[in-house]
Amino acid sequence: SEAFDTLGLTNYMDIMRLITFVETTPATSDENVTVTDTKFSDVAVRLYLPRGAPGGLRRGMVFFHGGGWCLGDAGMKSYDHMSRRISNELNVVVVSVNYRLAPEHRFPSAFEDVYAVTKFFLQSRVLAQYGVDPARVCVAGDSAGGNLAAAVAQQLLEDPEVKTKLKAQILIYPVLQALDLDLPSYRDNENKPILPRSLMVRFWSEYFSSDPALREAMAHNRHVPAEAAHLFQFVNWSHLLPAGMRGAHEYRGPTLGSGALARRYPGFLDLRASPLLAGDARLRHLPHTYILTCEHDVLRDDGVMYAQRLRALGVRVTHDHAQDAFHGALMFNFWPMDLAVGHRLFSRYLEWVDENL
């Protein structure tokens, strides 16, 4: 991707999207689940309806796929497989959202899409149409989808038009802030597979702009202006991370950059992109939260710090940390991407949903 992009032959993300294209499957129903591609609030979604006798109202999940806001599709084999299992085994109506992707549609397009779908689904008449219990609905997502789920859960708290409250938010190795891209997890896992630091920086920058100046500043962690320095209190890993994750790293405080980039691209300081930057008054009202983090993942510390902040504010949090896992591991749970760690993490995910939704 980098070679083709450097030579000007095609856009970096166009090459990366070949993975999505190869992996995407059509909406196909089976004996357990009816699967359809439709639209909610004019946004494309893949809808999973369990066929079994309901035996009462069902649970509901609005799911947002990962892919750095630039890649991915609800119909990718891994996401389709997981949504089918959740729908069938736990009697859940799953709405998997195909939000608009960058770089064609930059921030806040993805957030606007997932928020519109969630608001639509939470309407009493829509929940009733699909037989969903309004007291048992959650938002969920992995990676960039976890970012969107966290942002949606926060925004719903302040939306007077939404009467239905979420029962839970599920954040699977979420990316939660663009403020400090030099956390211990970014250092320790800089070149590890699936999501090296350079790719995460590329995803972040493409989410906001194609301007190479922004990507360069983010790569050197010098993109935050002095006037936003107060926000670093929310990502100060010197006290938000346990000693074992801080390791031998020393906290030196932020290296501040020019305010010009923040004025041109204010999105990276926006709570809809960086929900970890929200103040305590907002966070303390969030619903029961499940967070999965993986040791060998640049995003590890985002999830750990969010769990720490929420717990300190009295939010019910279940934080599972997988010492032997890497970013994206949950998706490796069926052939040909079949790993024991993927099965274990997905089984735990199913178990938590079953017990808490």
Side-chain angles (χ1 to χ4, degrees):
S1 295
E2 290 179 357
F4 276 82
D5 189 59
T6 300
L7 293 171
L9 298 177
T10 189
N11 181 274
Y12 179 92
M13 289 303 168
D14 288 341
I15 299 296
M16 295 289 288
R17 283 181 187 168
L18 289 175
I19 301 170
T20 300
F21 177 77
V22 170
E23 285 290 305
T24 300
T25 59
T28 306
S29 301
D30 58 34
E31 67 275 15
N32 300 312
V33 182
T34 299
V35 183
T36 55
D37 285 334
T38 184
K39 287 190 175 183
F40 280 9
S41 193
D42 214 29
V43 177
V45 302
R46 181 161 289 192
L47 182 64
Y48 297 81
L49 300 175
R51 289 187 180 224
L57 294 175
R58 295 184 165 102
R59 297 177 271 200
M61 172 184 289
V62 188
F63 184 85
F64 315 130
H65 67 76
W69 311 280
C70 298
L71 316 171
D73 191 283
M76 288 178 67
K77 293 174 184 176
S78 51
Y79 290 121
D80 183 71
H81 172 78
M82 291 191 291
S83 294
R84 285 174 188 274
R85 285 194 59 185
I86 290 169
S87 183
N88 175 43
E89 295 178 27
L90 304 183
N91 197 30
V92 177
V93 174
V94 179
V95 181
S96 192
V97 186
N98 269 324
Y99 51 88
R100 288 172 291 172
L101 300 175
E104 294 85 357
H105 305 282
R106 305 212 186 261
F107 174 84
S109 296
F111 174 82
E112 290 172 345
D113 285 355
V114 297
Y115 194 71
V117 168
T118 307
K119 278 190 69 169
F120 179 87
F121 187 62
L122 289 177
Q123 294 177 94
S124 297
R125 64 174 181 83
V126 177
L127 295 174
Q129 178 183 348
Y130 295 108
V132 174
D133 185 345
R136 304 178 77 188
V137 182
C138 73
V139 289
D142 69 316
S143 193
N147 167 279
L148 294 168
V152 165
Q154 288 188 16
Q155 189 78 11
L156 286 172
L157 296 174
E158 301 176 1
D159 193 331
E161 296 179 355
V162 181
K163 307 304 180 185
T164 302
K165 305 298 182 185
L166 294 178
K167 185 170 185 182
Q169 61 171 342
I170 298 170
L171 314 179
I172 301 167
Y173 28 80
V175 50
L176 296 170
Q177 57 86 33
L179 203 70
D180 189 351
L181 306 184
D182 192 36
L183 303 171
S185 59
Y186 272 91
R187 300 175 192 175
D188 294 340
N189 302 295
E190 180 176 8
N191 296 307
K192 290 189 178 175
I194 305 299
L195 189 64
R197 181 180 187 273
S198 59
L199 180 56
M200 191 62 241
V201 168
R202 184 72 184 244
F203 281 145
W204 266 126
S205 62
E206 291 286 355
Y207 194 28
F208 305 117
S209 169
S210 60
D211 187 346
L214 178 61
R215 185 162 69 248
E216 180 72 10
M218 285 185 150
H220 290 89
N221 210 39
R222 294 175 179 167
H223 55 293
V224 179
E227 52 266 35
H230 65 283
L231 295 173
F232 278 95
Q233 65 180 302
F234 299 128
V235 293
N236 186 334
W237 53 266
S238 68
H239 66 86
L240 288 173
L241 290 181
M245 290 185 179
R246 296 196 302 268
H249 300 292
E250 292 185 11
Y251 186 79
R252 295 185 296 271
T255 300
L256 300 173
S258 165
L261 285 173
R263 287 191 292 271
R264 286 202 299 272
Y265 315 114
F268 66 80
L269 300 175
D270 194 306
L271 297 184
R272 295 170 297 172
S274 294
L276 186 53
L277 305 185
D280 292 354
R282 189 182 225 204
L283 297 187
R284 63 168 43 97
H285 299 294
L286 286 168
H288 192 182
T289 301
Y290 176 80
I291 298 176
L292 169 65
T293 55
C294 300
E295 181 66 21
H296 307 288
D297 181 4
V298 294
L299 301 180
R300 177 197 70 196
D301 295 350
D302 282 19
V304 173
M305 289 192 292
Y306 204 45
Q308 171 66 16
R309 288 193 62 202
L310 294 184
R311 273 205 193 104
L313 293 168
V315 177
R316 290 179 64 204
V317 178
T318 301
H319 175 208
D320 284 343
H321 181 66
Q323 285 286 122
D324 59 342
F326 52 89
H327 190 79
L330 187 74
M331 300 172 71
F332 288 72
N333 63 72
F334 75 107
W335 189 90
M337 301 184 294
D338 201 358
L339 295 177
V341 66
H343 285 280
R344 190 183 82 240
L345 296 183
F346 186 65
S347 294
R348 170 59 180 151
Y349 171 37
L350 281 174
E351 176 185 55
W352 192 91
V353 174
D354 193 29
E355 293 177 355
N356 295 282
L357 183 62

